[in-house]
Protein backbone atom coordinates (compact mmCIF):
# COMPACT_ATOMS: atom_id res chain seq x y z
CA UNK A 1 0.00 0.00 0.00
CA UNK A 2 2.83 2.40 0.91
CA UNK A 3 4.62 1.72 -2.36
CA UNK A 4 1.38 2.36 -4.26
CA UNK A 5 0.93 5.73 -2.51
CA UNK A 6 4.54 6.61 -3.27
CA UNK A 7 3.96 5.79 -6.94
CA UNK A 8 0.86 8.01 -7.05
CA UNK A 9 2.78 10.87 -5.39
CA UNK A 10 5.66 10.46 -7.83
CA UNK A 11 3.25 10.51 -10.77
CA UNK A 12 1.57 13.66 -9.42
CA UNK A 13 4.94 15.34 -8.88
CA UNK A 14 6.03 14.38 -12.38
CA UNK A 15 2.83 15.77 -13.88
CA UNK A 16 3.15 18.97 -11.85
CA UNK A 17 6.76 19.42 -12.94
CA UNK A 18 5.80 18.85 -16.58
CA UNK A 19 2.91 21.31 -16.30
CA UNK A 20 5.20 23.95 -14.76
CA UNK A 21 7.82 23.44 -17.44
CA UNK A 22 5.13 23.82 -20.10
CA UNK A 23 3.83 26.96 -18.40
CA UNK A 24 7.36 28.39 -18.24
CA UNK A 25 7.88 27.75 -21.96
CA UNK A 26 4.57 29.46 -22.71
CA UNK A 27 5.49 32.43 -20.50
CA UNK A 28 8.79 32.96 -22.30
CA UNK A 29 7.09 32.50 -25.69
CA UNK A 30 4.63 35.27 -24.76
CA UNK A 31 7.56 37.47 -23.73
CA UNK A 32 9.39 36.86 -27.00
CA UNK A 33 6.20 37.55 -28.98
CA UNK A 34 5.62 40.83 -27.07
CA UNK A 35 2.35 39.58 -25.62
CA UNK A 36 3.03 41.39 -22.38
CA UNK A 37 -0.26 40.78 -20.56
CA UNK A 38 -0.23 37.05 -21.34
CA UNK A 39 3.40 36.84 -20.22
CA UNK A 40 2.56 38.62 -16.97
CA UNK A 41 -0.30 36.21 -16.28
CA UNK A 42 1.83 33.14 -17.00
CA UNK A 43 4.76 34.25 -14.82
CA UNK A 44 2.34 35.15 -12.02
CA UNK A 45 0.96 31.60 -12.20
CA UNK A 46 4.48 30.20 -11.84
CA UNK A 47 5.04 32.39 -8.77
CA UNK A 48 1.88 31.05 -7.17
CA UNK A 49 3.59 27.68 -7.12
CA UNK A 50 6.97 29.06 -5.99
CA UNK A 51 7.15 32.74 -4.96
CA UNK A 52 10.95 32.56 -4.96
CA UNK A 53 11.28 31.45 -8.59
CA UNK A 54 14.03 33.77 -9.92
CA UNK A 55 13.26 33.17 -13.58
CA UNK A 56 9.55 33.90 -13.03
CA UNK A 57 10.28 37.03 -10.99
CA UNK A 58 12.56 38.43 -13.71
CA UNK A 59 10.11 37.46 -16.46
CA UNK A 60 7.24 39.12 -14.61
CA UNK A 61 9.30 42.28 -14.09
CA UNK A 62 10.16 42.45 -17.80
CA UNK A 63 6.47 42.10 -18.72
CA UNK A 64 5.45 44.74 -16.16
CA UNK A 65 8.06 47.09 -17.62
CA UNK A 66 6.51 46.87 -21.09
CA UNK A 67 3.01 47.25 -19.61
CA UNK A 68 4.09 50.41 -17.78
CA UNK A 69 3.23 48.92 -14.36
CA UNK A 70 6.25 50.46 -12.67
CA UNK A 71 5.01 50.37 -9.08
CA UNK A 72 4.28 46.65 -9.45
CA UNK A 73 7.57 46.17 -11.27
CA UNK A 74 9.42 47.75 -8.35
CA UNK A 75 7.69 45.40 -5.88
CA UNK A 76 8.60 42.41 -8.05
CA UNK A 77 12.23 43.45 -8.49
CA UNK A 78 12.66 44.36 -4.84
CA UNK A 79 11.64 40.80 -3.96
CA UNK A 80 13.99 39.37 -6.61
CA UNK A 81 16.93 41.53 -5.48
CA UNK A 82 16.44 40.52 -1.84
CA UNK A 83 16.25 36.83 -2.67
CA UNK A 84 19.10 36.97 -5.22
CA UNK A 85 21.41 39.86 -4.30
CA UNK A 86 24.04 38.56 -6.72
CA UNK A 87 21.68 38.59 -9.70
CA UNK A 88 22.64 41.25 -12.23
CA UNK A 89 19.31 40.86 -14.02
CA UNK A 90 17.35 41.42 -10.81
CA UNK A 91 19.35 44.57 -10.04
CA UNK A 92 19.03 45.90 -13.59
CA UNK A 93 15.26 45.34 -13.53
CA UNK A 94 15.07 47.07 -10.14
CA UNK A 95 17.11 49.97 -11.53
CA UNK A 96 14.71 50.32 -14.44
CA UNK A 97 11.68 50.42 -12.16
CA UNK A 98 13.35 53.04 -9.95
CA UNK A 99 14.28 55.11 -12.99
CA UNK A 100 10.71 55.07 -14.27
CA UNK A 101 9.53 56.09 -10.80
CA UNK A 102 11.99 59.03 -10.97
CA UNK A 103 14.07 57.75 -8.05
CA UNK A 104 17.20 58.40 -10.04
CA UNK A 105 19.89 58.20 -7.33
CA UNK A 106 18.68 54.77 -6.22
CA UNK A 107 18.35 53.70 -9.86
CA UNK A 108 21.95 54.67 -10.59
CA UNK A 109 23.26 52.71 -7.59
CA UNK A 110 21.31 49.56 -8.51
CA UNK A 111 22.32 49.78 -12.16
CA UNK A 112 26.00 50.31 -11.36
CA UNK A 113 25.85 47.20 -9.16
CA UNK A 114 24.28 45.26 -12.04
CA UNK A 115 27.07 46.30 -14.41
CA UNK A 116 29.73 45.35 -11.85
CA UNK A 117 28.22 41.87 -11.81
CA UNK A 118 27.75 41.60 -15.59
CA UNK A 119 29.28 44.12 -18.00
CA UNK A 120 27.50 42.42 -20.92
CA UNK A 121 23.94 42.93 -19.69
CA UNK A 122 22.02 44.83 -22.38
CA UNK A 123 19.29 46.03 -20.01
CA UNK A 124 21.84 47.66 -17.70
CA UNK A 125 23.37 49.58 -20.64
CA UNK A 126 19.87 50.59 -21.75
CA UNK A 127 19.23 51.88 -18.24
CA UNK A 128 22.50 53.80 -18.21
CA UNK A 129 21.71 55.49 -21.52
CA UNK A 130 18.27 56.46 -20.20
CA UNK A 131 19.74 57.92 -17.03
CA UNK A 132 22.30 59.92 -19.02
CA UNK A 133 19.57 61.25 -21.32
CA UNK A 134 17.69 62.49 -18.26
CA UNK A 135 20.90 64.17 -17.08
CA UNK A 136 21.37 65.71 -20.58
CA UNK A 137 24.72 63.94 -20.97
CA UNK A 138 23.98 63.17 -24.60
CA UNK A 139 27.39 62.01 -25.83
CA UNK A 140 27.65 59.52 -22.96
CA UNK A 141 24.04 58.44 -23.49
CA UNK A 142 24.84 57.78 -27.14
CA UNK A 143 27.77 55.51 -26.23
CA UNK A 144 25.72 53.60 -23.66
CA UNK A 145 22.85 53.14 -26.14
CA UNK A 146 25.27 51.86 -28.78
CA UNK A 147 26.63 49.36 -26.27
CA UNK A 148 23.06 48.21 -25.50
CA UNK A 149 22.39 47.81 -29.24
CA UNK A 150 25.60 45.82 -29.67
CA UNK A 151 24.41 43.41 -26.98
CA UNK A 152 20.77 43.29 -28.12
CA UNK A 153 20.10 44.79 -31.56
CA UNK A 154 16.42 43.79 -31.38
CA UNK A 155 15.49 46.13 -28.49
CA UNK A 156 13.56 49.13 -29.90
CA UNK A 157 14.21 51.11 -26.71
CA UNK A 158 17.98 51.07 -27.21
CA UNK A 159 17.62 52.34 -30.79
CA UNK A 160 15.19 55.03 -29.58
CA UNK A 161 17.64 56.15 -26.88
CA UNK A 162 20.36 56.36 -29.54
CA UNK A 163 18.07 58.39 -31.77
CA UNK A 164 17.09 60.75 -28.96
CA UNK A 165 20.75 61.37 -28.07
CA UNK A 166 21.58 62.03 -31.73
CA UNK A 167 18.63 64.41 -32.01
CA UNK A 168 19.90 66.47 -29.10
CA UNK A 169 23.37 66.45 -30.64
CA UNK A 170 21.70 67.86 -33.79
CA UNK A 171 22.73 64.86 -35.88
CA UNK A 172 19.32 64.64 -37.52
CA UNK A 173 19.96 62.21 -40.37
CA UNK A 174 21.56 59.70 -38.00
CA UNK A 175 18.75 60.24 -35.48
CA UNK A 176 16.14 59.45 -38.13
CA UNK A 177 18.04 56.29 -39.12
CA UNK A 178 18.09 55.17 -35.47
CA UNK A 179 14.35 55.82 -35.08
CA UNK A 180 13.60 53.83 -38.22
CA UNK A 181 15.70 50.98 -36.78
CA UNK A 182 13.69 51.19 -33.53
CA UNK A 183 10.43 50.99 -35.50
CA UNK A 184 11.76 48.05 -37.51
CA UNK A 185 12.06 46.24 -34.17
CA UNK A 186 8.61 47.37 -33.02
CA UNK A 187 6.43 49.29 -35.53
CA UNK A 188 4.07 50.36 -32.73
CA UNK A 189 6.69 51.76 -30.35
CA UNK A 190 5.07 55.06 -29.41
CA UNK A 191 8.17 56.90 -28.18
CA UNK A 192 10.02 56.15 -31.42
CA UNK A 193 7.03 57.38 -33.43
CA UNK A 194 6.91 60.61 -31.41
CA UNK A 195 10.62 61.33 -31.83
CA UNK A 196 10.54 60.38 -35.52
CA UNK A 197 7.69 62.86 -35.95
CA UNK A 198 9.75 65.61 -34.33
CA UNK A 199 12.75 64.85 -36.57
CA UNK A 200 10.54 64.91 -39.67
CA UNK A 201 9.08 68.23 -38.51
CA UNK A 202 12.56 69.71 -38.28
CA UNK A 203 13.28 68.50 -41.80
CA UNK A 204 10.05 70.17 -42.97
CA UNK A 205 8.64 66.84 -44.16
CA UNK A 206 5.16 67.68 -42.96
CA UNK A 207 3.26 65.10 -45.03
CA UNK A 208 5.45 62.42 -43.47
CA UNK A 209 4.78 63.90 -40.02
CA UNK A 210 1.05 63.46 -40.63
CA UNK A 211 1.44 59.83 -41.70
CA UNK A 212 3.65 59.04 -38.70
CA UNK A 213 1.36 60.79 -36.22
CA UNK A 214 -1.71 59.02 -37.60
CA UNK A 215 0.01 55.77 -36.73
CA UNK A 216 0.89 57.09 -33.26
CA UNK A 217 -2.70 58.23 -32.66
CA UNK A 218 -4.05 54.85 -33.76
CA UNK A 219 -2.02 53.41 -30.88
CA UNK A 220 -2.67 56.18 -28.33
CA UNK A 221 -5.58 58.43 -29.40
CA UNK A 222 -5.04 60.93 -26.56
CA UNK A 223 -1.28 61.24 -26.82
CA UNK A 224 -0.61 64.97 -26.50
CA UNK A 225 2.81 64.90 -28.17
CA UNK A 226 1.38 63.22 -31.26
CA UNK A 227 -1.62 65.58 -31.31
CA UNK A 228 0.68 68.62 -31.07
CA UNK A 229 2.87 67.41 -33.93
CA UNK A 230 -0.18 66.58 -36.04
CA UNK A 231 -1.69 70.01 -35.34
CA UNK A 232 1.55 71.78 -36.27
CA UNK A 233 1.81 69.92 -39.59
CA UNK A 234 -1.84 70.34 -40.57
CA UNK A 235 -1.86 74.02 -39.62
CA UNK A 236 1.32 74.74 -41.57
CA UNK A 237 -0.15 72.99 -44.62
CA UNK A 238 -3.46 74.85 -44.23
CA UNK A 239 -5.48 71.64 -43.93
CA UNK A 240 -8.08 73.21 -41.62
CA UNK A 241 -10.83 70.62 -42.07
CA UNK A 242 -8.49 67.90 -40.75
CA UNK A 243 -7.00 70.26 -38.17
CA UNK A 244 -10.26 71.11 -36.43
CA UNK A 245 -10.99 67.72 -34.76
CA UNK A 246 -7.34 67.54 -33.65
CA UNK A 247 -7.47 70.97 -31.99
CA UNK A 248 -10.87 70.24 -30.44
CA UNK A 249 -9.27 67.26 -28.77
CA UNK A 250 -6.18 69.23 -27.76
CA UNK A 251 -8.08 72.02 -26.00
CA UNK A 252 -9.97 69.41 -24.00
CA UNK A 253 -6.80 67.55 -23.01
CA UNK A 254 -4.63 70.65 -22.45
CA UNK A 255 -6.95 73.57 -21.60
CA UNK A 256 -4.03 75.72 -20.38
CA UNK A 257 -2.03 75.31 -23.58
CA UNK A 258 -1.58 78.45 -25.67
CA UNK A 259 -0.52 76.34 -28.66
CA UNK A 260 -3.72 74.27 -28.46
CA UNK A 261 -6.05 77.29 -28.35
CA UNK A 262 -4.10 79.25 -30.97
CA UNK A 263 -4.22 76.23 -33.30
CA UNK A 264 -7.96 75.81 -32.63
CA UNK A 265 -8.47 79.51 -33.38
CA UNK A 266 -6.55 79.13 -36.64
CA UNK A 267 -8.60 76.06 -37.64
CA UNK A 268 -11.94 77.79 -37.07
CA UNK A 269 -10.89 81.00 -38.82
CA UNK A 270 -9.41 79.00 -41.68
CA UNK A 271 -12.82 77.36 -42.13
CA UNK A 272 -14.59 80.73 -41.99
CA UNK A 273 -16.21 79.91 -38.63
CA UNK A 274 -15.62 83.39 -37.23
CA UNK A 275 -18.40 83.33 -34.64
CA UNK A 276 -17.16 80.01 -33.25
CA UNK A 277 -13.61 81.36 -33.26
CA UNK A 278 -14.49 84.10 -30.75
CA UNK A 279 -14.23 81.81 -27.73
CA UNK A 280 -10.87 80.47 -28.88
CA UNK A 281 -9.55 84.01 -29.44
CA UNK A 282 -10.67 85.06 -25.96
CA UNK A 283 -8.95 82.02 -24.42
CA UNK A 284 -5.77 82.83 -26.36
CA UNK A 285 -5.84 86.39 -24.99
CA UNK A 286 -6.41 85.13 -21.45
CA UNK A 287 -3.24 83.08 -21.82
CA UNK A 288 -1.20 85.81 -23.54
CA UNK A 289 -2.90 89.18 -22.89
CA UNK A 290 -0.11 91.45 -24.18
CA UNK A 291 0.37 89.83 -27.57
CA UNK A 292 -0.34 92.46 -30.25
CA UNK A 293 -0.85 89.87 -32.98
CA UNK A 294 -3.64 88.15 -31.06
CA UNK A 295 -5.43 91.48 -30.42
CA UNK A 296 -5.10 92.24 -34.13
CA UNK A 297 -6.63 88.85 -34.96
CA UNK A 298 -9.51 89.61 -32.61
CA UNK A 299 -10.08 92.96 -34.36
CA UNK A 300 -10.04 91.23 -37.75
CA UNK A 301 -12.45 88.57 -36.52
CA UNK A 302 -14.91 91.23 -35.28
CA UNK A 303 -14.61 93.07 -38.59
CA UNK A 304 -15.49 89.89 -40.49
CA UNK A 305 -18.55 89.54 -38.24
CA UNK A 306 -19.50 93.13 -39.22
CA UNK A 307 -19.08 94.34 -35.64
CA UNK A 308 -17.19 97.39 -36.82
CA UNK A 309 -17.24 99.59 -33.69
CA UNK A 310 -15.89 96.74 -31.54
CA UNK A 311 -13.29 95.97 -34.20
CA UNK A 312 -12.05 99.58 -34.14
CA UNK A 313 -11.89 99.61 -30.34
CA UNK A 314 -9.90 96.35 -30.24
CA UNK A 315 -7.57 97.57 -33.00
CA UNK A 316 -6.88 100.76 -31.02
CA UNK A 317 -6.11 98.61 -27.97
CA UNK A 318 -3.65 96.58 -30.06
CA UNK A 319 -1.94 99.82 -31.17
CA UNK A 320 -1.67 101.04 -27.58
CA UNK A 321 0.00 97.77 -26.53
CA UNK A 322 2.36 98.02 -29.51
CA UNK A 323 3.35 101.55 -28.50
CA UNK A 324 4.04 100.42 -24.95
Amino acid sequence: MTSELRSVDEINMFETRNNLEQLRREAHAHLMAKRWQEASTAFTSLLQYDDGDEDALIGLALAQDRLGDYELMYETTEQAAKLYPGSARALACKARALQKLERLSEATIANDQALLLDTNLALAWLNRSGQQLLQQRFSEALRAAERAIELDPTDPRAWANKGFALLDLNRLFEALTAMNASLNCDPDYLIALQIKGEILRRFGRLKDVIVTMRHALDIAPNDVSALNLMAHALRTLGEYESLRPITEQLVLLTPASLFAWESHMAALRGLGRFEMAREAIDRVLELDPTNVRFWTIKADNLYRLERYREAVSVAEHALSIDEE
Side-chain angles (χ1 to χ4, degrees):
M1 184 69 176
T2 304
S3 61
E4 290 178 4
L5 287 172
R6 188 181 299 119
S7 297
V8 170
D9 289 342
E10 287 172 353
I11 291 169
N12 289 338
M13 287 176 63
F14 180 76
E15 289 179 348
T16 300
R17 187 162 55 249
N18 280 347
N19 289 340
L20 290 172
E21 288 172 0
Q22 176 62 28
L23 182 58
R24 192 179 305 280
R25 285 193 294 272
E26 290 174 1
H28 282 284
H30 289 314
L31 207 59
M32 290 294 292
K34 301 175 184 176
R35 296 188 293 266
W36 312 122
Q37 190 58 61
E38 291 87 342
S40 175
T41 300
F43 284 120
T44 300
S45 297
L46 286 168
L47 288 167
Q48 289 172 351
Y49 183 80
D50 176 5
D51 61 6
D53 184 332
E54 181 183 7
D55 177 72
L57 286 166
I58 299 299
L60 177 59
L62 293 173
Q64 289 167 334
D65 180 17
R66 296 306 188 93
L67 290 167
D69 294 335
Y70 299 119
E71 290 284 357
L72 289 174
M73 183 186 182
Y74 174 69
E75 293 175 12
T76 302
T77 56
E78 179 76 348
Q79 182 181 352
K82 283 180 180 177
L83 290 171
Y84 306 100
S87 168
R89 290 201 306 160
L91 286 165
C93 286
K94 180 179 177 180
R96 184 156 185 82
L98 288 165
Q99 182 179 317
K100 291 295 185 178
L101 294 171
E102 300 182 1
R103 294 164 58 177
L104 299 184
S105 296
E106 295 169 84
T108 300
I109 291 168
N111 203 62
D112 286 349
Q113 290 173 337
L115 281 171
L116 284 171
L117 290 165
D118 185 352
T119 58
N120 294 318
L121 186 60
L123 179 59
W125 286 105
L126 174 70
N127 290 341
R128 177 165 284 183
S129 70
Q131 290 161 8
Q132 289 165 339
L133 285 174
L134 292 170
Q135 295 162 348
Q136 299 187 357
R137 292 157 55 190
F138 300 116
S139 295
E140 295 166 78
L142 175 59
R143 288 192 292 271
E146 287 175 334
R147 178 62 174 144
I149 290 166
E150 181 185 337
L151 293 165
D152 183 3
T154 66
D155 191 336
R157 301 169 299 178
W159 284 106
N161 281 6
K162 178 179 179 177
F164 192 84
L166 288 164
L167 174 62
D168 277 286
L169 293 168
N170 206 33
R171 292 161 59 179
L172 297 186
F173 286 102
E174 294 169 89
L176 183 57
T177 298
M179 285 306 155
N180 285 332
S182 176
L183 291 167
N184 283 338
C185 297
D186 183 355
D188 295 334
Y189 188 36
L190 184 60
I191 291 172
L193 289 166
Q194 292 167 341
I195 301 172
K196 180 178 179 178
E198 173 58 22
I199 297 167
L200 292 169
R201 184 192 70 80
R202 294 194 192 186
F203 279 130
R205 292 168 53 182
L206 300 181
K207 293 286 187 182
D208 291 332
V209 172
I210 291 169
V211 171
T212 304
M213 290 308 97
R214 280 191 182 131
H215 186 177
L217 291 169
D218 284 342
I219 298 162
N222 291 327
D223 182 73
V224 172
S225 295
L227 288 165
N228 279 331
L229 282 165
M230 179 71 97
H232 172 85
L234 291 169
R235 180 179 170 185
T236 304
L237 292 169
E239 296 185 14
Y240 298 116
E241 197 69 51
S242 298
L243 176 61
R244 182 180 170 184
I246 297 295
T247 58
E248 285 176 343
Q249 194 173 354
L250 266 177
V251 296
L252 287 172
L253 293 169
T254 57
S257 166
L258 178 60
F259 173 79
W261 282 105
E262 185 185 358
S263 298
H264 192 44
M265 172 186 76
L268 293 170
R269 281 172 52 81
L271 292 169
R273 306 295 180 86
F274 299 110
E275 185 63 42
M276 295 178 69
R278 290 178 60 199
E279 179 193 356
I281 294 169
D282 288 342
R283 286 291 290 121
V284 164
L285 286 167
E286 284 176 21
L287 294 165
D288 190 356
T290 60
N291 190 303
V292 175
R293 184 172 68 86
F294 294 152
W295 283 105
T296 304
I297 289 171
K298 180 169 183 174
D300 177 78
N301 205 71
L302 289 164
Y303 179 83
R304 289 170 186 272
L305 290 169
E306 300 181 358
R307 300 172 63 164
Y308 302 120
R309 289 182 184 276
E310 292 172 79
V312 169
S313 175
V314 171
E316 288 174 346
H317 182 68
L319 286 172
S320 70
I321 294 173
D322 193 32
E323 288 171 0
E324 292 172 8

